[in-house]
Amino acid sequence: LTFVDRCVVVEPDCAWVLALVRRAVDVEHEWLNQACGFASTAEAEAWVHGQTQRVREALDVDVPDPEPLHVQMRPLMDRATYLDAIRTAQQLIAQGESYEICLTNEFQGLIAPGQMSARQAYLRMRQNNPAPFGAFIWDSSNQSGILSCSPERFQRTRVDSETEIEMKPIKGTSRREPRPFLSNEYDEWREEDERRKQELLSSVKERAENLMIVDLIRHDLNTISHSVRVERLMHIESFARVHQMVTTVRARSCAGVVECLAHCFPPGSMTGAPKTRTTQIISQLENRRRGVYSGVLGYFSTHGRSDWAVVIRTAVVADGRMSVGTGGALTILSEPKAEWAEVETKLHATMADSVSP
């Protein structure tokens, strides 16, 4: 966790320059007095003014399109090994050990010295796969960081008299072709695009996967909430490279925002159900630690709000190596070859310029 008392937040249609001001000594929250960097409104306003000018100047600069990032990505589990792991998972499901297992793989590629500008790589990812929960966190001293284009909200909370909770699990993915530039190709593309959306929406397997995770989330929320409701069940949200099946679940709770996050973690859409036994199975089948991938990335604010995304469609850079996790939910209805195709679809959505076997 990092405490942020000043920041520039860039959204698709605007930018925010934010500063937290210590107006008076807070006896109850002494840590806040020490953490907050601005002791006066004038000091904060001066910083905001300076940063606002920098943002305006940056908006006037003609930025060229980011260069393609060619990193040859190789899976830790090759296709044959992954298919074997799928079959083992289905045997365990048939034995009653689980009813949905979210199996994942990891693709890695070496980055030659000077090959990659992290900022350019992230801009390229955003260009190929614009998504609502993007994040770029970079440590230049260690040349390591997180480049994320996540489409999935894990949990959003806000506090009035109670804590309002929203969760939007994704289960069900279909590849989407880029929109054509030529107008005479558009009608054919739109027809095929709509066909893929309807095929995803009507898939018995994908709907079963989504419903199982919704049930798991309702169970997690029911233990800390007095009101849980499914606002929108299994609708399609479309992104540049994929269609996704999404459900929106909302709840009200007397628990605090930290407790709400901790209670629902890890994301059920990345584990399967039941959580405890399924995570044990995943550990055995994957034989690796997922690290940042499949966790959550977001913020707590001092006024009682939080917003967290699931770490998917994400590249992690460390020690001269780039890694991308990708996978899918398995049920007794899953077809192994189709599951491998879904892995490749999600890799392509994250790293369209990468090369994989």
Side-chain angles (χ1 to χ4, degrees):
L1 291 175
T2 300
F3 182 82
V4 179
D5 66 349
R6 67 200 76 185
C7 63
V8 177
V9 180
V10 180
E11 296 185 349
D13 56 353
C14 65
W16 300 81
V17 181
L18 306 172
L20 187 64
V21 184
R22 184 172 70 247
R23 292 187 179 277
V25 175
D26 189 332
V27 178
E28 185 178 354
H29 302 100
E30 179 59 29
W31 67 270
L32 186 57
N33 299 325
Q34 298 177 12
C36 188
F38 294 113
S40 69
T41 301
E43 184 182 351
E45 287 180 346
W47 181 85
V48 168
H49 177 75
Q51 295 302 313
T52 301
Q53 288 300 113
R54 292 184 63 185
V55 170
R56 286 173 175 163
E57 291 168 5
L59 292 175
D60 292 333
V61 176
D62 186 16
V63 180
D65 287 342
E67 292 293 324
L69 177 64
H70 295 294
V71 178
Q72 193 165 33
M73 307 294 287
R74 301 292 186 187
L76 293 186
M77 283 193 284
D78 61 22
R79 184 176 185 274
T81 305
Y82 194 79
L83 294 181
D84 285 343
I86 291 173
R87 296 184 186 102
T88 300
Q90 289 182 307
Q91 290 173 5
L92 292 168
I93 291 172
Q95 293 167 10
E97 295 291 330
S98 176
Y99 51 90
E100 182 173 9
I101 299 172
C102 295
L103 186 69
T104 73
N105 201 354
E106 184 176 318
F107 290 75
Q108 292 187 347
L110 293 175
I111 304 171
Q115 175 187 359
M116 188 190 82
S117 159
R119 180 175 177 276
Q120 287 294 305
Y122 177 66
L123 290 176
R124 184 68 178 182
M125 288 174 63
R126 293 283 296 179
Q127 185 181 65
N128 290 330
N129 184 37
F133 302 108
F136 176 56
I137 301 175
W138 188 252
D139 181 354
S140 57
S141 62
N142 293 316
Q143 290 296 292
S144 61
I146 301 169
L147 293 66
S148 180
C149 289
S150 174
E152 182 174 357
R153 167 172 282 136
F154 173 56
Q155 186 182 97
R156 177 172 63 179
T157 59
R158 68 175 186 176
V159 177
D160 44 36
S161 58
E162 297 179 309
T163 302
E164 295 183 3
I165 309 166
E166 178 185 83
M167 301 182 72
K168 296 187 68 174
I170 288 175
K171 267 289 161 271
T173 301
S174 175
R175 184 164 181 162
R176 190 183 196 197
E177 296 302 324
R179 181 171 177 166
F181 290 105
L182 300 177
S183 58
N184 62 347
E185 298 175 352
Y186 177 74
D187 288 343
E188 183 179 348
W189 171 84
R190 185 177 61 178
E191 183 178 334
E192 174 63 15
D193 195 57
E194 185 63 28
R195 185 194 68 77
R196 292 189 181 193
K197 286 170 61 176
Q198 293 304 317
E199 185 178 65
L200 175 61
L201 193 60
S202 61
S203 168
V204 173
K205 170 188 168 294
E206 303 292 358
R207 293 179 70 86
E209 289 179 7
N210 194 290
L211 189 60
M212 288 179 196
I213 298 306
V214 171
D215 192 47
L216 175 63
I217 286 175
R218 290 174 61 248
H219 175 269
D220 285 345
L221 289 172
N222 266 315
T223 57
I224 57 169
S225 306
H226 56 80
S227 170
V228 179
R229 62 194 184 278
V230 177
E231 291 285 335
R232 197 174 180 192
L233 182 65
M234 289 185 259
H235 62 280
I236 301 298
E237 292 187 0
S238 298
F239 300 90
R241 298 282 178 174
V242 292
H243 298 296
Q244 308 266 202
M245 189 184 295
V246 185
T247 291
T248 303
V249 183
R250 293 199 174 104
R252 294 187 66 85
S253 173
C254 294
V257 293
V258 177
E259 184 181 351
C260 290
L261 178 69
H263 192 83
C264 296
F265 189 85
S269 61
M270 296 305 296
T271 61
K275 267 189 185 178
T276 301
R277 177 59 183 135
T278 304
T279 52
Q280 293 169 350
I281 293 171
I282 288 170
S283 181
Q284 295 167 2
L285 294 176
E286 296 184 4
N287 196 29
R288 79 179 200 281
R289 292 185 180 275
R290 291 182 178 178
V292 173
Y293 170 65
S294 83
V296 297
L297 181 64
Y299 68 87
F300 295 113
S301 74
T302 55
H303 53 54
R305 295 190 177 191
S306 72
D307 204 351
W308 299 86
V310 181
V311 182
I312 54 175
R313 316 292 192 275
T314 297
V316 179
V317 178
D319 302 322
R321 188 182 301 271
M322 174 178 284
S323 62
V324 176
T326 178
L330 306 175
T331 68
I332 201 67
L333 298 176
S334 296
E335 200 285 308
K337 291 181 181 179
E339 293 298 327
W340 178 259
E342 183 174 335
V343 165
E344 292 184 321
T345 292
K346 291 174 179 175
L347 175 67
H348 184 74
T350 307
M351 300 289 295
D353 302 319
S354 66
V355 179
S356 60

